[in-house]
């Protein structure tokens, strides 16, 4: 049976016991470096962002890059926590992603020859 990546999580939220939905919603992960601290939820959404004074002296692009890096690190940890929580509901190895549908290549646009 082929299952999408979202189906095990959907099953977990629908299960009456042991409360997977509430437990997944409570997952948080943090990362900090160079005066910036982030906390993200299971989906990688920022739920807390804090700066020390020294972080605010960085150029905006550098600060944005640092925030993105920390959010990605924390997001990976949050996903790991979710996978551990779901345990046996998830497959051991993810199936390779299906190739996206691509329209057929157009035929040559060379002028047609008409038989007379």
């Amino acid at each position: 049976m082929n299952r999408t990546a979202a189906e095990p999580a959907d099953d977990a939220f629908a299960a009456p016991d042991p409360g997977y939905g509430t437990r997944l919603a409570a997952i948080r992960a943090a990362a900090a470096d160079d005066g910036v601290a982030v906390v993200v939820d299971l989906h990688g959404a920022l739920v807390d962002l804090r700066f020390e004074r020294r972080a605010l002296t960085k150029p905006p692009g550098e600060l944005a890059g640092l925030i993105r890096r920390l959010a990605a690190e924390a997001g990976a940890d949050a996903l790991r926590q979710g996978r551990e929580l779901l345990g046996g509901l998830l497959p051991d190895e993810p199936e390779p992603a299906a190739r996206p549908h691509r329209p057929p290549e157009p035929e040559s646009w060379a002028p047609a020859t008409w038989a007379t």
Side-chain angles (χ1 to χ4, degrees), residues 30-112:
D33 189 24
D34 210 14
V36 177
V38 302
V39 178
V40 302
D41 66 8
L42 177 61
H43 305 286
L46 281 171
V47 295
D48 193 19
L49 176 61
R50 297 180 188 254
F51 302 100
E52 293 177 5
R53 183 173 300 274
R54 66 188 168 107
L56 299 176
T57 63
K58 296 182 177 305
E62 184 179 332
L63 184 58
L66 177 59
I67 293 167
R68 281 192 299 273
R69 179 179 61 83
L70 292 173
E73 289 174 12
D77 184 39
L79 287 175
R80 181 195 52 76
Q81 291 177 45
R83 186 165 180 84
E84 287 177 3
L85 176 66
L86 293 176
L89 294 176
L90 296 175
D92 291 335
E93 292 293 324
E95 294 183 21
R99 292 185 180 174
H101 173 70
R102 292 182 59 170
E105 293 294 323
E107 294 183 23
S108 171
W109 292 102

